[in-house]
Amino acid sequence: MPPILTTVCLLTLSNIFMTFAWYGHLKNMAHKPWIVAALVSWGIALFEYLLQVPANRIGHQVLSVGQLKITQEVITLAVFVPFSVFYLKEKLSWDYLWAGLCLMGAVFFIFRGRLMG
């Protein structure tokens, strides 16, 4: 599998774990003390790091750190929006579209050397 594809797959999986670590407790543990939620989140985040660290090492073979970061941000939004809407039952708003368009601008600028030869 090409390094970029491997990186995107690992970052997507790591972001799913991280989204649950950061926001899942809002639905599942709202009645628990914050320290319990924090400890559970740290446990979930461990799995995120076990995927994210190799993803960045593999990705850095073919991408700059800036390109890795923007890729991560695009994946973050792509994971967060469905999580927010379907799991947390938040209302979908146009702001997600505008944020996505801003990220597409960031993708263009950080990858324009690759895109334009």
Side-chain angles (χ1 to χ4, degrees), residues 51-110:
L51 296 167
Q52 179 266 341
V53 170
N56 283 333
R57 286 182 173 221
I58 293 166
H60 195 249
Q61 296 171 14
V62 293
L63 299 171
S64 70
V65 174
Q67 290 169 333
L68 278 169
K69 181 60 180 170
I70 295 301
T71 300
Q72 173 64 36
E73 294 304 327
V74 169
I75 292 167
T76 296
L77 190 62
V79 168
F80 179 76
V81 172
F83 176 86
S84 176
V85 171
F86 296 115
Y87 187 76
L88 293 179
K89 308 295 186 204
E90 295 279 327
K91 183 180 173 196
L92 185 62
S93 72
W94 285 102
D95 292 337
Y96 290 117
L97 174 65
W98 308 136
L101 290 174
C102 289
L103 280 175
M104 291 302 102
V107 168
F108 171 76
F109 286 111
I110 204 76

Side-chain angles (χ1 to χ4, degrees), residues 37-58:
L39 293 172
V40 170
S41 292
W42 281 347
I44 295 169
L46 171 65
F47 294 103
E48 186 268 344
Y49 282 108
L50 293 174
L51 296 167
Q52 179 266 341
V53 170
N56 283 333
R57 286 182 173 221
I58 293 166

